[in-house]
Amino acid sequence: MKMTDKTLIRLLSLLLCVLMTVGALAGCANGKDDTTDTGNDTSAVGTEQETEAPDPFKTLDTPDVSFNNKTFRVLSIEHDSLYTAMDVPGLSSEPVNNAIYERNRMIEDKFDFKFRNETDIWQNTSATLERQVQAGATSVDDGYDIVMLICREAYSATLKNYLRNYEDLAYIDLNKEYYFDEINKQFSIGGKNFFAYGAESINALGQANCLCFNKGIATDRAFGDLYEMVNNKSWTYEKMFTMAANAATDKDGDGKLTLGTDVMGFIGDFDLTIPAVWVSAGENIIEKDEDDLPFMACYSSDRFYEVTQAGLDAFASNWSSVFTANDDKTDVFSANKAMFYCGCVCHLSYLKSMPDDYGVVPFPMYDESQGEYHSRLVDGWVHCVPTTCTDTDMTSIIMQALAYYSFKTVYDVYYENALTAKYVRDVQSVDMLKLILSTLSVDLGDTVWYAKIRAPLVDKIVQDKGTTSISSTIKSYRRIIQGLCKDAETFAETGSVKSK
């Protein structure tokens, strides 16, 4: 699913606001602010210039109502670095934590209610939702108003009729700038959404594929300016693979390249890297038709097979570790033992202590004729509304407020503190993060049908050490893929799928 110009403009506008915020915060850090102390000189600021503090909810298009101190119960998941919890217990030294805390207190004050946030590991929340729906729980003591699910389980829950149609949530407007409209369109079924990513889903931004490169190796090998290549749209598979091959070095002279000992050209987990090949080329296993229903797009796409096979052939080279099992590839990259490392934006936190310099770029285009970058959204957790929810007005108002105010405040802090200030080393990498997050792309065959398509497909590729014929392998999944697409079609037509 490709980003529209509308979405791109929205995201870039958001990130431009972030850069303006950075400048303001820098001034505060130096003991300065933007105003001039005029003392008692009232002529400096006349009374006609005095205005009330701006209402942060001025453009929040929801009713001005009170929920009379009701409790809004949320089940979120536990995660160390992706900010998945809806609420936090209090203020701390962590800026994103504080932004979330202040956002929630403001929303509570505005609508007179209280959050009750509970967390569990992500593997449990789907079963909790199922028990709640089957039991028909509706009270705050028996059930949750919203439950966080990984996107593939949210899609499955949709087909099981566990989630509210967003048409029932009167005050959620997915056309607002604080929703990821193009991503949400990919997850819709027959034009209807049963879950959606809003700006409160900052975990999704951390789960975008990115590519790190070792600046020292790039300079020593005279590879040129990778940032310039990205910006002039000449950053391609061929250039990346050529650099990787030229960077590989047999440090111990034993005639072979060993991960962790020698310098590898390219490292990365196979489950992150292999799907990034076809997604970054603008190809998908599954796309949507004119009726907003999924179909197997790759079956008759010669380009899908061409680009994916080219990636597999390259990763089968001795300079790559994609088909090598190793859980410490970030440590290998940090130790200057690789030119390229493919991971996710959230993995940049693991590189903050890397002694030598590195940069960040998007996964490349297949060739220059492609003309635009596509950055794979690996996964994401999203808050869903169970069908047992009876107060849909309250739920939709609170969810809309969470998305709106996250967009207005939390994103600025998240982007500056969790991404730029802590994890990257130069302004060019900041620009690259902006590009990555403005070109997010989703393939249903890679995300919601991970268990039945991506996982077995990638496992087969790894088992064959990259010698797999991608054309014959993907075609062997034709019946499975068509069956999954038919399930979505049946659900769109009848509102039910017999057994999922």
Side-chain angles (χ1 to χ4, degrees):
M1 175 60 69
K2 302 172 178 64
M3 285 269 180
T4 62
D5 290 341
K6 179 181 178 183
T7 304
L8 177 58
I9 290 170
R10 285 174 175 172
L11 285 168
L12 291 180
S13 297
L14 164 64
L15 297 175
L16 179 60
C17 291
V18 170
L19 295 179
M20 294 171 66
T21 303
V22 171
L25 292 174
C28 294
N30 290 314
K32 305 172 183 177
D33 65 32
D34 295 333
T35 61
T36 301
D37 183 3
T38 58
N40 295 320
D41 184 3
T42 56
S43 64
V45 181
T47 56
E48 70 277 7
Q49 293 176 304
E50 294 178 2
T51 59
E52 295 182 0
D55 180 1
F57 288 92
K58 186 176 182 180
T59 59
L60 176 59
D61 190 16
T62 59
D64 188 10
V65 296
S66 170
F67 296 127
N68 300 315
N69 204 34
K70 286 184 179 180
T71 298
F72 190 78
R73 193 176 180 202
V74 181
L75 179 62
S76 299
I77 69 158
E78 300 169 355
H79 199 285
D80 292 338
S81 61
L82 287 174
Y83 302 103
T84 50
M86 175 66 75
D87 202 5
V88 292
L91 296 173
S92 71
S93 60
E94 212 282 308
V96 179
N97 175 94
N98 295 345
I100 292 171
Y101 180 83
E102 291 169 355
R103 173 200 69 189
N104 290 352
R105 304 295 79 78
M106 190 170 195
I107 296 171
E108 287 177 336
D109 291 344
K110 172 68 176 178
F111 296 109
D112 187 22
F113 74 99
K114 296 296 180 184
F115 281 111
R116 186 196 296 179
N117 181 73
E118 300 169 29
T119 60
D120 200 349
I121 59 175
W122 71 266
Q123 293 91 339
N124 291 345
T125 58
S126 184
T128 299
L129 170 71
E130 183 169 6
R131 287 194 299 271
Q132 174 173 321
V133 173
Q134 291 181 350
T138 57
S139 75
V140 71
D141 293 325
D142 297 328
Y144 296 97
D145 295 287
I146 55 177
V147 176
M148 178 172 271
L149 303 175
I150 198 166
C151 65
R152 57 180 176 266
E153 293 185 352
Y155 202 91
S156 177
T158 297
L159 299 184
K160 293 177 180 178
N161 296 306
Y162 290 168
L163 302 184
R164 281 280 190 177
N165 185 341
Y166 268 47
E167 291 179 351
D168 298 334
L169 305 174
Y171 298 105
I172 292 180
D173 183 355
L174 296 182
N175 292 315
K176 295 291 187 180
E177 59 187 348
Y178 32 92
Y179 289 98
F180 294 97
D181 54 349
E182 287 303 309
I183 293 174
N184 291 333
K185 286 176 184 176
Q186 187 70 340
F187 291 128
S188 62
I189 303 176
K192 298 178 181 179
N193 279 92
F194 296 81
F195 61 95
Y197 288 93
E200 82 284 355
S201 305
I202 58 176
N203 76 87
L205 300 182
Q207 298 184 81
N209 263 144
C210 64
L211 194 63
C212 300
F213 68 94
N214 186 297
K215 286 187 177 182
I217 296 175
T219 300
D220 291 344
R221 298 286 179 168
F223 287 154
D225 189 337
L226 273 67
Y227 298 131
E228 183 179 355
M229 295 176 198
V230 173
N231 290 330
N232 65 24
K233 295 188 176 180
S234 64
W235 177 231
T236 63
Y237 283 12
E238 181 181 5
K239 287 186 176 178
M240 179 179 71
F241 293 146
T242 299
M243 290 179 190
N246 290 337
T249 306
D250 179 12
K251 300 288 285 186
D252 61 5
D254 65 354
K256 60 181 181 180
L257 293 173
T258 303
L259 181 67
T261 300
D262 300 313
V263 175
M264 304 297 293
F266 191 106
I267 64 175
D269 182 79
F270 59 83
D271 200 35
L272 291 178
T273 305
I274 294 172
V277 170
W278 70 74
V279 173
S280 65
E283 296 291 331
N284 293 316
I285 295 175
I286 294 174
E287 293 186 2
K288 308 284 278 297
D289 64 17
E290 62 275 9
D291 297 317
D292 194 41
L293 297 174
F295 70 97
M296 185 177 178
C298 67
Y299 185 78
S300 58
S301 172
D302 290 338
R303 188 173 183 274
F304 177 93
Y305 302 127
E306 176 186 338
V307 300
T308 307
Q309 193 67 55
L312 298 184
D313 291 345
F315 291 141
S317 302
N318 66 346
W319 46 257
S320 167
S321 74
V322 170
F323 301 118
T324 303
N326 185 290
D327 293 331
D328 299 318
K329 290 178 181 175
T330 51
D331 293 338
V332 173
F333 183 75
S334 294
N336 292 331
K337 298 295 179 62
M339 172 60 195
F340 291 110
Y341 163 63
C342 177
C344 292
V345 170
C346 64
H347 295 153
L348 299 179
S349 64
Y350 305 145
L351 303 177
K352 60 185 178 181
S353 299
M354 180 174 173
D356 293 297
D357 212 1
Y358 74 93
V360 179
V361 291
F363 219 86
M365 299 182 293
Y366 178 57
D367 55 31
E368 292 188 37
S369 67
Q370 182 173 314
E372 59 183 348
Y373 298 99
H374 302 278
S375 299
R376 173 178 173 243
L377 178 61
V378 176
D379 241 326
W381 289 282
V382 60
H383 281 103
C384 306
V385 182
T387 52
T388 51
C389 172
T390 56
D391 195 344
T392 54
D393 282 356
M394 177 180 180
T395 299
S396 61
I397 288 171
I398 292 173
M399 291 179 71
Q400 184 82 345
L402 282 165
Y404 169 85
Y405 202 51
S406 295
F407 182 81
K408 293 293 185 180
T409 62
V410 179
Y411 263 24
D412 288 358
V413 179
Y414 171 76
Y415 189 84
E416 181 203 348
N417 289 279
L419 298 184
T420 60
K422 288 185 178 179
Y423 299 159
V424 295
R425 311 286 180 84
D426 54 40
V427 66
Q428 294 96 330
S429 288
V430 175
D431 291 339
M432 294 298 105
L433 284 175
K434 289 166 57 179
L435 177 60
I436 290 166
L437 299 182
S438 67
T439 56
L440 292 179
S441 187
V442 173
D443 179 359
L444 291 179
D446 177 40
T447 51
V448 301
W449 287 314
Y450 157 86
K452 294 187 177 180
I453 303 178
R454 190 238 292 178
L457 174 63
V458 171
D459 285 347
K460 171 65 174 172
I461 291 170
V462 174
Q463 177 184 332
D464 295 344
K465 302 296 183 183
T467 61
T468 305
S469 166
I470 192 63
S471 176
S472 61
T473 301
I474 196 71
K475 287 179 179 179
S476 71
Y477 286 88
R478 183 183 185 187
R479 181 170 295 182
I480 294 173
I481 295 172
Q482 289 180 330
L484 294 170
C485 293
K486 182 63 177 176
D487 288 340
E489 181 181 347
T490 300
F491 178 82
E493 291 174 351
T494 68
S496 175
V497 178
K498 287 185 179 180
S499 177
K500 290 295 108 197

